[in-house]
Structure formats: structure tokens, C-alpha cells
Amino acid sequence: MSTHESSRIPELDRSAALGTLRSVARALAAGTNSNDVLQTLCQAATTRGRSTGASVSEISADTGVFVAVAGDRQSLRGVRFPLAGTITARVAAERRTIAVNGPSESSPFFAALLQELAIGPILVLPLIAQNELLGVLSVFRDAGQLPFDEHDAERLGTVADLASLALWKARLLENVQSADAAKSSLLATLSHELRTPLTALEGYSELLEDEILGPLAPPQRDVIVRLRTVGRHLGALIEDILTYASLEAERLTLRDGVVRLEEVLDGLLAIVEPLAREKGIALRVELEPGLPDLRSDEAHVRQILLNLCQNAIKFTERGEVVLKVARGSPQGVGSPTIRFKVRDSGIGIAAVDLQRLFRPFSQLED
């Protein structure tokens, strides 16, 4: 072998090692949750450490538990163990890698367990990110095999560092998602609780407006009408919150059926007409005659139209708001559609701001 050829061997080894590390980093980054990251770590550590298996332990004050395992020692998964006297406890406390060459170097619990599973040399590494201990990685070989050396420790230390960062990011995302789910649940719960007193207010207002409890003077009737308008508006806001919470929790249920257009429009106008009248703007509905039956979720059709009309009225100071209902473009063979269009003479939305449409809790001005 020439000198030139021999000098290329370490270079090729380094290139192969870097390629392997890049593959490991990509695999770890692709994990969608902490469990995926931990399992990928165990598999990568088994391969990179030329070992027969690997495990990750999560630790509390005085107990550890194996949460991920690769290799043929799957019986370790879920096993809890006392931390006192273990190498795992030392690694967690000292935050450094420690090699174990036999069961005699561990606690009595592990001495028996390692002998039972015929596990020999072990390399134990801390998983640390943002100065936080996330777990402890143990890479093991069968009894009788060679112990781990410095090169093994270096290779596996790099994998542990990559995995620690991926695991920290995955857990951070899980915490955010958990908080978001709690928020949605709280919104849904509060909204349901608000519905009950609001329904009672609506019922009492209806009794007064219908003069069941006695005749009303014109000013009194006007107050009752305004009270009912405000109540309907509040009810619509609560429905918005419930719908948003259901969408966030992916629990929105659609009920397919025939939509009675006349009833939808009558119910819609009962809510939005008083709002338009208060602002002194015109509200018109243009309904094309002879429209086919619409199959959809009637409650959500009504809710969408209510949202659009309320928004149009809110941002229109003069002029009109028009809801046009007409036959739309065909959808497939023999399946006509109905198109709803809301047009207003308000301030509109600039082209540069259109990308902000349909974002939760987003509006152009405070």
C-alpha cells in the first residue's frame, strides 16, 4: 500500500463517521414526539456503539424507570428500580459518562438483573440539554464481550448530545400542545356554562316581549328588543368559542342533512338585522329562485353566514351589506352547488393583509 493510499484511510473513516452522524441527526430530528426520539436514540446507540442493545431511564427523586429499549432485552421496558447505589444515580449526579465492566460494579438490584439477562459491559451516559437532565442512556453488550473504550464513549457521547437536543425540543412542543389542549378544554367548559344563564335570559326576554306578563309601553318594548339583540349577539360569540375549541381539539362533529334555506336565512336576519339598523346601514338578501336542496350541516352553515355578516356590518360605517344566495358551479356530474356571497361597502382588506385571513384571534387593528 502506498503512503498516499494509507493517508486516505483515516480521511475515509472520518467521512463515513460524519455521514453516519448526519443520518442519526436527521432520524432524531424527524421524531414527532419524545417517545419516537427515545426509540431512535436507543437504536442509533446500539448501532454506533457496536452493542447488543440500549435503554433510556427517566429518574425521579429515588426511583428510575426504563422508558425506551432497543435490542433483545425488551423485558427491561417499564421496569422500575431503586436509584440508591446505582451507576445511573452517579451519572445523573455527576453528569458524566461512566463505564461499567461487570455486575459487581453496580447495586445489588442491578447485579442480579444483569446476571439474569447475561449483560456484560455497559456505558452509561447523561442526556442533558439546556442544563437540564432529561434521562440516562445505557448502552450494553453481552457478557464476555469487550468493554467499551474511549472511542466508543466519544461516538456515543456525540449521539447522546444530538438526541438530548431533539428530546428537549420534542418535550417542549408536547408541553405547548398540552397547554393548548387545556386552553381549548377550558374555553369549551366555560362556554357551555355560559349557555345556561344566557338561555334563561333569552326566555325571560321573550316572555316580556310577548307581553305574557302584562302590556309594555313603547320605550319598554324598545329596551326589550335591544336586550334580546344583545343576548343573541352574545350567544353567537359563545358559539364561536365553542366552535374554535372543538376545532382545536379536533372534536368538531358535522351532521349531514338537508339545509332549509328559508329557515337559515330567517334565523340569520333575526340576529343581524338589528345590528345593521343600529348602525344605519342597509341589509339585503338576494335569493335566487328555484335553488336546489342543499346538503350540509345546517348549524354550521348558519354559523359561517352569521360570522361573515356580523363582520361585514362591524366594518361598514355607511352603505349596505348584501348576502347573495345563488346557484354555484357544478360539483361533479349532476351535483349542483349553492354559492353564498357576502358583499359590503366597508373598509375592505388590503391585498398585503389577505395572508392574515383565517388565523385564530387575528385582526388588522387593535
Side-chain angles (χ1 to χ4, degrees):
M1 181 184 295
S2 67
T3 305
H4 177 69
E5 288 174 334
S6 63
S7 67
R8 283 175 54 86
I9 293 176
E11 201 173 299
L12 291 172
D13 288 344
R14 284 196 297 271
S15 178
L18 287 174
T20 303
L21 277 179
R22 281 195 290 268
S23 299
V24 171
R26 283 195 294 269
L28 289 168
T32 56
N33 55 59
S34 57
N35 289 332
D36 290 343
V37 172
L38 289 175
Q39 200 57 43
T40 301
L41 165 60
C42 289
Q43 292 165 353
T46 301
T47 303
R48 292 281 292 165
R50 296 173 296 183
S51 60
T52 54
S55 65
V56 172
S57 306
E58 289 184 354
I59 63 174
S60 57
D62 55 3
T63 306
V65 59
F66 293 106
V67 293
V69 181
D72 58 0
R73 307 308 201 280
Q74 293 296 319
S75 59
L76 288 173
R77 190 188 303 272
V79 171
R80 294 185 175 274
F81 56 89
L83 277 177
T86 64
I87 299 298
T88 299
R90 279 186 58 195
V91 168
E94 300 174 14
R95 298 197 171 196
R96 66 181 181 90
T97 299
I98 298 177
V100 182
N101 294 322
S104 60
E105 296 190 38
S106 189
S107 67
F109 174 86
F110 273 108
L113 180 66
L114 301 182
Q115 187 170 9
E116 177 189 343
L117 298 177
I119 292 176
I122 306 175
L123 194 67
V124 188
L125 307 95
L127 300 175
I128 300 172
Q130 303 297 320
N131 203 32
E132 179 183 350
L133 181 71
L134 305 177
V136 175
L137 169 67
S138 298
V139 188
F140 47 83
R141 292 172 176 165
D142 288 337
Q145 291 188 345
L146 292 173
F148 292 93
D149 58 25
E150 292 181 2
H151 297 295
D152 294 324
E154 184 179 353
R155 282 197 304 271
L156 290 170
T158 303
V159 172
D161 289 342
L162 291 171
S164 297
L165 185 58
L167 181 60
W168 182 80
K169 290 182 176 179
R171 288 183 176 174
L172 186 65
L173 179 59
E174 287 169 351
N175 289 338
V176 171
Q177 290 172 337
S178 177
D180 198 48
K183 175 210 67 180
S184 297
S185 177
L186 177 63
L187 285 176
T189 301
L190 288 176
S191 300
H192 279 295
E193 293 298 324
L194 288 171
R195 266 178 164 176
T196 302
L198 187 64
T199 301
L201 286 174
E202 179 72 15
Y204 290 135
S205 300
E206 187 175 349
L207 286 175
L208 292 172
E209 187 178 7
D210 292 342
E211 299 185 319
I212 301 297
L213 304 178
L216 294 173
Q220 292 174 322
R221 177 175 293 278
D222 183 60
V223 170
I224 296 300
V225 170
R226 288 175 182 270
L227 178 63
R228 295 196 67 188
T229 300
V230 172
R232 284 191 290 264
H233 180 59
L234 181 57
L237 292 177
I238 291 174
E239 288 299 325
D240 281 346
I241 295 173
L242 281 170
T243 301
Y244 177 75
S246 298
L247 285 169
E248 286 283 284
E250 298 183 353
R251 291 198 303 262
L252 188 65
T253 302
L254 298 179
R255 295 176 176 82
D256 183 44
V258 176
V259 177
R260 295 173 290 277
L261 278 177
E262 292 79 6
E263 292 185 16
V264 169
L265 295 176
D266 287 345
L268 174 70
L269 291 175
I271 298 174
V272 297
E273 267 187 334
L275 301 176
R277 189 166 55 248
E278 286 182 6
K279 296 193 68 173
I281 60 177
L283 175 65
R284 293 192 293 111
V285 176
E286 297 179 359
L287 180 62
E288 181 180 313
L291 291 176
D293 289 335
L294 171 64
R295 289 199 63 86
S296 186
D297 186 308
E298 184 171 322
H300 286 97
V301 169
R302 182 185 296 107
Q303 186 65 37
I304 292 169
L305 294 176
L306 177 62
N307 291 344
L308 293 174
C309 289
Q310 284 180 323
N311 202 61
I313 293 170
K314 179 180 179 181
F315 293 102
T316 300
E317 296 301 325
R318 61 181 64 87
E320 65 176 5
V321 173
V322 180
L323 169 60
K324 184 176 182 179
V325 187
R327 188 183 298 267
S329 57
Q331 180 182 346
V333 180
S335 300
T337 61
I338 293 177
R339 182 186 299 272
F340 298 88
K341 182 185 294 186
V342 178
R343 176 175 54 82
D344 63 72
S345 56
I347 59 176
I349 300 176
V352 295
D353 292 322
L354 290 176
Q355 60 183 349
R356 296 173 60 182
L357 285 173
F358 305 116
R359 292 182 183 176
F361 304 119
S362 176
Q363 59 186 46
L364 301 185
E365 296 179 357
D366 293 337

